[in-house]
Amino acid sequence: MTHSPGRHALAIPGPSVIPERVLQAMIRPAPDIYEGPFVEMVPGLIADLKAVARSRHQAAIYIGNGHAAWEAALANVIAPGDSVLVAATGLFGHGWAEVARGLGARVRLLDFGTAAPAGAQRVAEALVADRQRRIRALLVCHVDTSSSLRSDIAALRRALDESGHPALLMVDAIASLGCERLETDSWGIDVLVAASQKGLMCPPGLGLVFFNDRAEAARARCAPSRYWDWRPRARPESFYQHFAGTAPTHHLFALRAALDMIREEGLEAAWARHARLAAAVWAAADAWGRGGPLRLHLRDPALRAHSVTTLSIGAVHGTRLRRWLTENAGVTLGIGLGMGTKEDPRADGFFRIGHMGHVNAQMLLGVLGAIEAGLTALEIPHGTGAVEAAAAVLAAG
Ligand SMILES: *Cc1c(COP(=O)(O)O)cnc(C)c1O
């Protein structure tokens, strides 16, 4: 085999697979953006978006990727010179911290590495030590897509409450919204950031920011620039204000279709499907690891995200395996993003499997079966029975 005709599988953790129905929803002429069906579609779209985030508060949509949503969220509640506390559990935590620095914030970084979640204890200590209440917000990724770590957001809320600290809780849910349990309101998240191209199954291009009244109160201090200001987007006096100009028309058609799909499946059913698919990946990895160097990056299943899995496979094998799969099996796996070490600066020993959004058992078994073929072809030692183990998990439902 030197090339692989047939449908190519993209198993990277975003952009995720776009369903046919979402693609089809975009194939239509440009709509009128001043009145008519398109304008009438948007309020329901925002209501459904809030339902997926489990928020009854406000939502603003920006034309931009996750980085834009990071900046949008911060620009509304952080003024130059303000301090933010960042609990980083991988590359994306550090990335958000960089954006905060770029806006003139003083960043106090709690680096949890890539193998431990954002610990409420250390966060609480940092908050208690901040006697002058300089910290305006705690920033954390619900799921950091580089390490595939999930942090306990409700526990961080408790740390904030128990220390009596008024900082806002700002959560990046770009890799978890629509994929696993995320309760914006009941977990006490003040600002939630998301994007269209992961669990929401759409092309990249929509940055989403959800915010409550506490966050809105903080905005008054910050005087965000006209473009980033979330208020006119969330409570527009005219349709034109929703998007600070022309609406991202076809992205919104796509999002409408994706939200319909989530509603038809049921949000909790979608979470359960992601949990099952993740468990199938873990079962396969455990089986491979019994006879070779392949390992799940995170030992403790309770810390592993349900939307993405980070694996290590020693030395250069991660990159070799990815190349082999792309060239011979029609599967593209994710790179070992942000997992570099002194010995392996480019993280060639790591790879990631994205299993977020529009993924089902046969797609995942195809990816796992292709990895099995790659391990065999490259003579990378591995245990047997991985695909059977994954199938058994999927059969158990
Ligand atoms: C993908 C991702 C981002 C970055 O999103 P972009 O659209 O690439 O800017 C940020 N945070 C997390 C957790 C992500 O998964």
Side-chain angles (χ1 to χ4, degrees), residues 13 65-68 70 92 141 143-145 172-175 195 197-198 204:
N65 59 13
H67 281 66
W70 274 344
F92 290 98
C141 290
V143 166
D144 195 302
T145 322
D172 172 342
I174 294 174
Q197 78 273 24
K198 304 209 176 170

Side-chain angles (χ1 to χ4, degrees), residues 170-236:
M170 301 180 72
V171 175
D172 172 342
I174 294 174
S176 56
L177 183 70
C179 304
E180 54 185 289
R181 181 169 293 280
L182 169 67
E183 304 281 358
T184 300
D185 287 354
S186 68
W187 290 353
I189 298 169
D190 297 303
V191 180
L192 186 87
V193 170
S196 51
Q197 78 273 24
K198 304 209 176 170
L200 294 180
M201 309 178 284
C202 288
L206 298 180
L208 311 171
V209 179
F210 303 84
F211 59 96
N212 64 13
D213 294 344
R214 292 187 70 224
E216 172 64 16
R219 172 194 157 279
R221 274 184 49 247
C222 293
S225 71
R226 189 69 185 76
Y227 188 76
W228 286 135
D229 193 346
W230 62 33
R231 197 185 165 90
R233 290 174 188 262
R235 293 182 206 158

Side-chain angles (χ1 to χ4, degrees), residues 22-98:
V22 172
L23 289 170
Q24 292 296 338
M26 299 179 77
I27 303 177
R28 64 173 86 186
D32 184 358
I33 59 162
Y34 298 98
E35 56 185 26
F38 173 72
V39 173
E40 287 154 20
M41 175 185 84
V42 170
L45 186 85
I46 289 172
D48 289 350
L49 206 49
K50 289 199 276 192
V52 171
R54 300 284 181 120
S55 167
R56 282 173 292 99
H57 298 281
Q58 309 289 324
I61 301 178
Y62 294 85
I63 302 172
N65 59 13
H67 281 66
W70 274 344
E71 178 147 343
L74 289 168
N76 279 275
V77 293
I78 301 299
D82 285 352
S83 291
V84 298
L85 182 64
V86 179
T89 56
L91 184 85
F92 290 98
H94 292 281
W96 202 4
E98 270 309 302

Side-chain angles (χ1 to χ4, degrees), residues 168 319 334 351 387:
L168 296 172
T319 297
F351 66 99
V387 176

